[in-house]
Amino acid sequence: MKTRVAILISGRGSNLQSLITAAAARQYPAEIALVLSNNPAAPGLARAEAAGIPTLAIDHRRHGRDRQSHEAELHAALQSHAIGLVCLAGYMRLLSPFFVAAWQGAMLNIHPSLLPAFPGLNTHERALAAGVALHGCTTHFVTETMDDGPIIGQAAVPVLASDTPETLAARVLAQEHKLYPATLAAVASATLPAPAPAAALSHLRRV
Ligand code: GRF
């Protein structure tokens, strides 16, 4: 039986698309069962609709400053769709301890840098400014600290002398679109205790 996965997005959804495309293969161990967005105008929602995947826009602005009541609504939607794993894919909201704890060991994120380098925003600009020779992307389990948590997989790209933030971002994004589907497949087919202790994840680091 395939693991039922929800993808949380806020924007264009190119990583969502890579997961939808991978999950269309018969032998892929996960099924994209729901796409949620905090932003009703997220272009990624149309990608899910085109693939016949149920979507829900749960606008955080309706909840004012009450982050937890927004997340309670997200959580209820995940439960009512019998979701087993959550993938953040360009989801631009910080998550509160309540939601992180509810999905501990069952929520993944992709970040456009080789963590622990460059957590946060504008990673490509910062990598160029720092003069690193290698840049890339990371998949990890979500913990309370942003862009932290046990690393599952990484993909590196060389930084070229001619790179701009845009060219570097495009080279990293091409790797994200391979790394995230490979990571989700590895996690969905692994038997992970929940919550997953870091030691139990060591066999997943070579995705
Ligand atoms: C990606 O670079 C991802 O690593 C980061 O946000 C961006 C989302 O892009 N977390 P997309 O919406 O998947 O195209």
Side-chain angles (χ1 to χ4, degrees):
M1 200 176 131
K2 297 193 179 204
T3 304
R4 289 174 61 79
V5 175
I7 318 282
L8 269 59
I9 63 166
S10 298
R12 77 187 155 180
S14 72
N15 278 287
L16 162 68
Q17 185 64 61
S18 75
L19 294 168
I20 290 173
T21 303
R26 202 161 52 88
Q27 69 278 16
Y28 196 79
E31 171 192 353
I32 314 302
L34 179 64
V35 173
L36 282 176
S37 180
N38 65 305
N39 170 18
L45 288 170
R47 298 180 190 262
E49 283 155 16
I53 297 168
T55 63
L56 266 178
I58 301 179
D59 194 337
H60 63 276
R61 289 168 297 194
R62 278 196 294 103
H63 295 267
R65 286 166 181 260
D66 192 345
R67 194 176 290 278
Q68 195 157 322
S69 85
H70 177 243
E71 291 172 356
E73 204 176 326
L74 290 178
H75 186 61
L78 295 170
Q79 286 191 309
S80 73
H81 285 77
I83 296 303
L85 276 176
V86 173
C87 290
L88 307 181
Y91 187 70
M92 301 303 285
R93 300 274 303 162
L94 291 176
L95 295 169
S96 64
F98 146 74
F99 192 79
V100 172
W103 291 94
Q104 189 183 349
M107 180 157 56
L108 319 180
N109 183 40
I110 188 158
H111 181 74
S113 78
L114 294 173
L115 291 173
F118 313 122
L121 297 174
N122 304 318
T123 56
H124 310 301
E125 287 88 336
R126 289 158 60 208
L128 287 176
V132 294
L134 281 177
H135 186 43
C137 51
T138 301
T139 51
H140 64 95
F141 285 98
V142 175
T143 58
E144 275 188 33
T145 309
M146 186 186 64
D147 301 329
D148 200 63
I151 289 173
I152 307 166
Q154 294 188 307
V157 302
V159 178
L160 309 178
S162 58
D163 265 330
T164 63
E166 292 73 27
T167 60
L168 186 54
R171 201 167 328 106
V172 171
L173 192 63
Q175 292 303 313
E176 293 185 39
H177 295 162
K178 295 179 188 164
L179 180 65
Y180 215 175
T183 296
L184 176 57
V187 173
S189 48
T191 312
L192 290 174
L201 306 176
S202 54
H203 65 292
L204 290 173
R205 288 179 189 272
R206 285 185 304 276
V207 167

